[in-house]
């Protein structure tokens, strides 16, 4: 095992042995309650991102500017995303080494990173002139591609999330 | 024990027994369907259908949240209630067939785990309540886009409806997840 992996393994083991992780693992109902909040948060993350993506692609709300739809939906996205990350980390801690070795968990993290890069690229390069689209009903094709990619990535993230539950044991 | 008391007690118990017999019959019938067989034998079908179900839930609750935040005066205050309602109410309803279809498929896969599960019944009750609150808010807006903004009493009412709607949807999602953890009787 390389040095880096060894450090990672030690960290995951320590995380798994922490008091919080043990409480979640051994508690009667802590895991399902945290999972409930995680599911609620992720529906709002994906739903609010879809509102923006569908507008960027041009499939709905064409009478409103892209920027207007973003101001409407993105506060929900970010608040829900913070909740999803916190609850997701708590669930992860309960079986850190198990999740880390799960293919679908690894794929989910990679897809999340891609969604982040896609969003960053959109804001940095593609969407610089989004202010001009305040009244425009159609966005440039490069923005539409980014929107469609984002939607696909988030659906794939949901798929991976559900498959983690099915491949890691415990009630599905 | 006096005979009349015995009779008065046995009526509801008989009804309960009858319902549970019907439920057993429904479960047995569902177990034998092709849909149930397919869901049980092809292992990826359950998580796949569940994923579609969750995405459809997202398509319902996000617009609900957007409308409720506006009704509570927290979000999108610069937009009229009528405008937010026009934009988002259709999205609350069109995923419903998808939710029903995927929900039925998931019941068919494990009839006893769902139909005999008290949390499942709770979820269906909450769903009916949520649909009622949504219609109660939406129908007056069809006739008059400013309906909920006409006076202070209506603004109070609609704020209570928004709180009820948000609480109900949170409870529905939580109940949905808990079905997996509570055993059917």
């Amino acid at each position: 095992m390389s040095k880096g992996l060894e450090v990672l393994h030690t960290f995951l083991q320590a995380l798994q042995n922490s008091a919080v992780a043990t409480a979640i693992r051994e508690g009667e109902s802590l895991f399902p309650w945290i999972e409930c909040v995680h599911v609620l948060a992720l529906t709002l993350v994906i739903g609010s991102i879809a509102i923006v993506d569908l507008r960027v692609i041009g499939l709905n709300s064409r009478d409103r500017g892209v920027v207007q739809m973003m101001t409407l939906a993105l506060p929900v996205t970010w608040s829900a995303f913070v909740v999803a990350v916190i609850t997701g980390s708590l669930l992860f801690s309960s079986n850190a080494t198990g999740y880390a070795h799960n293919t679908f968990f690894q794929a989910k993290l990679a897809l999340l990173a891609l969604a982040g890069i896609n969003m960053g690229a959109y804001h940095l390069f593609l969407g610089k002139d989004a202010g001009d689209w305040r009244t425009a009903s159609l966005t440039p094709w490069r923005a539409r591609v980014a929107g469609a990619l984002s939607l696909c990535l988030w659906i794939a993230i949901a798929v991976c999330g559900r498959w983690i539950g099915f491949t890691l044991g415990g009630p599905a | 024990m006096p005979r009349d008391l015995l009779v008065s007690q046995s009526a509801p118990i008989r009804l309960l027994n009858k319902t549970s017999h019907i439920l057993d019959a429904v479960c047995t019938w569902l177990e034998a369907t092709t849909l149930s067989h397919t869901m049980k034998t092809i292992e990826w079908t359950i998580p796949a259908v569940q994923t579609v179900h969750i995405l459809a839930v997202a398509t319902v609750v996000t617009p609900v949240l957007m409308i409720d935040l506006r009704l509570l005066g927290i979000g999108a205050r610069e937009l009229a209630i009528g405008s937010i309602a026009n934009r988002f109410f259709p999205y609350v309803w069109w995923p419903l067939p998808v939710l029903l279809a995927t929900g039925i498929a998931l019941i068919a896969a494990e009839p006893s785990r769902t139909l005999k599960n008290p949390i499942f019944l709770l979820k269906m009750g909450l769903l009916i309540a949520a649909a009622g609150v949504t219609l109660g808010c939406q129908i007056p807006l069809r006739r008059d886009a400013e309906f909920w903004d006409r006076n202070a009493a209506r603004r109070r009412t609609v704020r209570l409806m928004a709180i009820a709607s948000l609480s109900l949807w949170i409870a529905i999602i939580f109940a949905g997840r808990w079905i997996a953890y509570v055993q059917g009787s």
Side-chain angles (χ1 to χ4, degrees), chain B residues 57-129:
Chain B
V57 171
T59 322
V60 177
V61 289
T62 314
V64 164
L65 179 78
M66 303 307 288
I67 296 166
D68 288 342
L69 286 180
R70 174 62 189 86
L71 295 177
L72 288 169
I74 297 171
R77 260 174 296 190
E78 69 284 0
L79 294 171
I81 288 179
S83 148
I84 284 278
N86 277 338
R87 184 159 317 274
F88 289 118
F89 264 129
Y91 291 97
V92 177
W93 295 108
W94 70 249
L96 220 58
V98 180
L99 282 175
L100 270 177
T102 50
I104 288 170
L106 291 169
I107 291 169
E110 298 163 295
S112 301
R113 191 174 99 157
T114 43
L115 292 180
K116 295 180 184 174
N117 192 319
I119 305 291
F120 170 79
L121 294 179
L122 175 70
K123 185 181 172 185
M124 292 305 106
L126 292 167
L127 201 59
I128 292 167

Side-chain angles (χ1 to χ4, degrees), chain A residues 140-155:
Chain A
W141 67 267
R142 57 202 157 94
R144 274 185 261 170
V145 169
L149 188 60
S150 158
L151 208 51
C152 294
L153 283 169
W154 282 101
I155 290 171

Side-chain angles (χ1 to χ4, degrees), chain A residues 29 31-33 35-37 39-40 43-44 47-48 51 60-61 63-64 69 72 76 155 159 162-163 166 171-172, chain B residues 44 46-48 50-51 54-55 58 61-62 65-66 69 76 79 83 87-88 91 170 173-174 177-178 180-181:
Chain A
S29 57
F31 191 94
W33 278 120
E35 211 185 351
C36 283
V37 180
V39 170
L40 173 66
T43 57
L44 295 177
S48 59
I51 290 175
N60 79 345
S61 299
D63 52 334
R64 294 233 176 263
M69 293 312 282
L72 207 60
V76 174
I155 290 171
V159 171
R162 196 69 284 263
W163 248 271
F166 263 80
Chain B
W44 55 264
I46 291 181
Q50 280 181 341
T51 307
I54 290 181
L55 290 173
V61 289
T62 314
L65 179 78
M66 303 307 288
L69 286 180
L79 294 171
S83 148
R87 184 159 317 274
F88 289 118
Y91 291 97
I170 292 171
I173 289 177
F174 282 21
R177 198 73 283 267
W178 269 101
Y181 291 92

